[in-house]
Amino acid sequence: MARESFDKEIQFLRMLVLTSGAYNRQQYADRLGISIHTFDKTIKRLKEIANAVYQQLPADKGKEFAETVRYSYLDSSDPMLLFLFRAKSLKESESQRLSLLLAAMHEKALTAMELLDLCCGSMPAELALPDEKTIRGDLKYLEQVGVIQKEPGTRPFRYRTYNDLITVLSPEELQDLYDFVDIMANTQLPSVQGYLLRDGLKKHMARNPDDYGRAEPFLYKYHYYSRILDEAHLFTLLDAIRSRRFVSFLYFSPKKETSYASKNTNPLFERDTEGSQEMILPLKVVYDHQYGRWYLLGRHPRHGIKKYRLEGLTQISEGDAAPEADYEAHTSDLEQRIRQSWLIDTGKPVTVKARFFHPGPGISNFVKERVLLQGQWGSITEETGDSFIYEIVVNGMVEIKPWIRSFGSSCEVLAPLKLREEMIAEWKEIKSYYESL
């Protein structure tokens, strides 16, 4: 299947959202590691995809795409950058062929040869006719993604569309399912597949408006656009983890000036990129709620445990499978090394001690409630009428610092001394921003 990679478009959209369109064309092209010509082609393609998926977008074709993004975000509670996942990443012939196959299998179960005859008789004259191998590849793909189901029995196997979810439920049950999926997609991780399921249910319900007449009870404003874009790689990595397979990718560190490089196939136009080619055995994927970031943790053949931000991964491909014994040993080693990590830090353990102040008499003690909720395995060791002391042993101080800082004046770091001094320096710097001129 020609299921295209959207690496370039993903990196472009992430930069566009994070900078709110502050860069000019040349700056965008430089950051992406592409030419102005390629940049303009990418803009045109994204406009076409967005206008095809979101009919409510402005009709003004000359409008900057950054303005289009801002318009849709303010106009709708639906996360606009999801349009990339709804885009058709198949060739025209494949789209036509899959549509014919699904329509035929919706009526009754058919064999691969029957479907081949149907396609050869129904495909437009200007498109190439498929062969048996192509049809069987289509059926395998559709079965993998859960669209069709193989009927029980002997060869030749018959296939039908798999729509049991909507046929066995009553209208009331489908409405409840839609509301549940809507809530989970907007509040849990990952989100993309939930949104696609919700949209499929909405289309089915729209065909029978008499049974589903009530308005949607919930509206959301989606935060952290980047986590939607990162999910383009998430399920590829989870599949590699399940199958114990190595993955290779071109990685761009967040500290680098560029975030993408074109994949040149002509050796005359090859050029060095600032990305690094990596091959690791993926072991774990972690999400950071504090900043809305996904991380990949894996075992490098030479450098041991390594960590990557998903936003820097491009050109991902799966490799050979690792022996089960090796995989279990690497997983056990990783779990041991991050056992005391606030998130994914594998540094030396350090005891953090902080005093938290109660908000005051007659006020709900939201500070203590939050510490108990988010404090992980830490514990309250001492408590007085106006404060309490919280202690935790963590790997390093970098990851816990934003959490401590978020309490503002309700928290005072007591130990270690280095962390206390760093917090003092940071608050002095913040204070200097607000000093009278």
Side-chain angles (χ1 to χ4, degrees):
M1 307 301 292
R3 297 185 294 280
E4 301 174 18
S5 168
F6 282 122
D7 285 342
K8 179 170 54 182
E9 288 77 11
I10 288 171
Q11 297 298 339
F12 176 88
L13 287 171
R14 178 182 289 109
M15 194 185 309
L16 186 66
V17 170
L18 294 178
T19 61
S20 297
Y23 289 172
N24 60 34
R25 291 165 64 244
Q26 186 62 59
Q27 289 170 322
Y28 267 117
D30 291 342
R31 290 281 296 183
L32 287 168
I34 59 179
S35 66
I36 287 286
H37 176 65
T38 303
F39 172 85
D40 290 338
K41 287 199 302 183
T42 305
I43 283 271
K44 181 180 179 181
R45 184 185 184 202
L46 287 171
K47 282 184 178 180
E48 291 171 350
I49 295 174
N51 282 294
V53 176
Y54 287 92
Q55 299 301 323
Q56 73 269 28
L57 290 181
D60 181 11
K61 298 294 184 180
K63 197 169 189 178
E64 285 296 323
F65 193 73
E67 293 297 328
T68 302
V69 171
R70 282 198 287 268
Y71 173 90
S72 182
Y73 175 71
L74 295 173
D75 183 66
S76 172
S77 61
D78 197 39
M80 181 197 168
L81 298 188
L82 192 67
F83 77 85
L84 204 57
F85 295 88
R86 295 193 182 107
K88 306 300 181 185
S89 55
L90 300 173
K91 293 179 180 178
E92 183 181 358
S93 59
E94 291 171 330
S95 298
Q96 291 272 2
R97 191 170 66 245
L98 293 181
S99 298
L100 287 172
L101 294 177
L102 291 174
M105 287 183 284
H106 183 70
E107 300 295 332
K108 61 178 181 178
L110 296 171
T111 65
M113 296 308 297
E114 290 172 336
L115 291 168
L116 175 61
D117 294 339
L118 183 144
C119 278
C120 290
S122 305
M123 289 282 284
E126 65 273 13
L127 299 179
L129 296 179
D131 55 17
E132 182 182 352
K133 182 179 179 181
T134 302
I135 295 297
R136 294 193 182 277
D138 292 342
L139 293 174
K140 182 179 179 180
Y141 164 61
L142 293 173
E143 188 177 12
Q144 285 177 342
V145 298
V147 177
I148 65 172
Q149 186 179 49
K150 185 189 295 183
E151 294 277 72
T154 58
R155 294 178 181 274
F157 296 118
R158 294 182 174 273
Y159 299 85
R160 67 173 179 86
T161 54
Y162 182 63
N163 57 357
D164 295 0
L165 178 65
I166 58 176
T167 57
V168 301
L169 298 180
S170 67
E172 292 78 14
E173 291 172 328
L174 269 177
Q175 184 70 64
D176 291 341
L177 175 62
Y178 175 84
D179 292 340
F180 174 77
V181 171
D182 190 32
I183 293 172
M184 299 301 288
N186 279 286
T187 59
Q188 301 296 312
L189 292 166
S191 304
V192 168
Q193 289 193 334
Y195 278 118
L196 299 179
L197 174 59
R198 183 198 66 174
D199 291 349
L201 291 171
K202 182 185 290 187
K203 289 178 181 178
H204 172 74
M205 293 161 66
R207 299 188 188 104
N208 304 282
D210 295 337
D211 295 330
Y212 313 97
R214 68 187 184 92
E216 295 186 27
F218 310 107
L219 287 177
Y220 301 89
K221 182 61 71 175
Y222 200 88
H223 301 289
Y224 290 140
Y225 271 144
S226 293
R227 78 183 189 188
I228 285 184
L229 298 175
D230 291 339
E231 287 187 34
H233 301 317
L234 177 61
F235 295 98
T236 301
L237 296 172
L238 293 178
D239 180 68
I241 290 174
R242 282 193 295 268
S243 58
R244 314 308 199 227
R245 290 188 174 276
F246 283 86
V247 295
S248 63
F249 51 84
L250 186 64
Y251 182 67
F252 292 86
S253 167
K255 299 178 181 178
K256 295 287 187 180
E257 289 295 323
T258 57
S259 58
Y260 175 80
S262 57
K263 189 174 182 179
N264 297 306
T265 56
N266 189 333
L268 295 177
F269 294 94
E270 283 187 359
R271 59 179 178 182
D272 294 333
T273 68
E274 294 192 27
S276 58
Q277 191 67 43
E278 302 282 340
M279 184 182 72
I280 68 162
L281 180 63
L283 303 174
K284 196 179 188 71
V285 178
V286 178
Y287 180 71
D288 179 8
H289 285 268
Q290 188 80 26
Y291 292 108
R293 295 170 180 163
W294 289 97
Y295 291 90
L296 169 65
L297 285 70
R299 181 82 181 189
H300 192 279
R302 288 183 298 171
H303 305 302
I305 298 297
K306 293 195 70 175
K307 293 159 277 190
Y308 306 88
R309 291 247 294 265
L310 253 63
E311 65 193 70
L313 272 61
T314 63
Q315 302 176 22
I316 300 177
S317 61
E318 292 189 35
D320 298 330
E324 185 66 26
D326 291 350
Y327 182 86
E328 294 297 334
H330 296 327
T331 302
S332 177
D333 176 48
L334 173 64
E335 294 295 340
Q336 181 63 29
R337 292 181 62 180
I338 65 172
R339 185 171 60 88
Q340 292 181 312
S341 299
W342 185 260
L343 185 67
I344 58 171
D345 199 336
T346 53
K348 294 182 179 180
V350 58
T351 301
V352 175
K353 188 176 181 180
R355 181 186 300 277
F356 290 87
F357 296 94
H358 299 314
I363 303 175
S364 175
N365 198 344
F366 59 87
V367 175
K368 184 177 179 180
E369 291 174 359
R370 184 180 165 202
V371 171
L372 291 174
L373 178 65
Q374 302 176 346
Q376 303 202 45
W377 59 90
S379 60
I380 296 175
T381 59
E382 180 183 333
E383 187 168 7
T384 64
D386 61 350
S387 67
F388 62 90
I389 294 178
Y390 163 84
E391 288 189 18
I392 187 172
V393 178
V394 290
N395 292 346
M397 303 178 296
V398 174
E399 293 177 344
I400 195 175
K401 189 192 292 186
W403 181 73
I404 292 175
R405 190 192 300 120
S406 68
F407 285 89
S409 60
S410 296
C411 177
E412 176 194 2
V413 175
L414 304 178
L417 180 60
K418 181 181 179 182
L419 178 58
R420 179 180 175 87
E421 291 174 344
E422 288 178 0
M423 296 298 293
I424 291 172
E426 288 184 9
W427 287 117
K428 283 183 176 179
E429 181 181 355
I430 294 173
K431 179 186 176 184
S432 68
Y433 298 155
Y434 295 92
E435 289 181 349
S436 173
L437 299 177

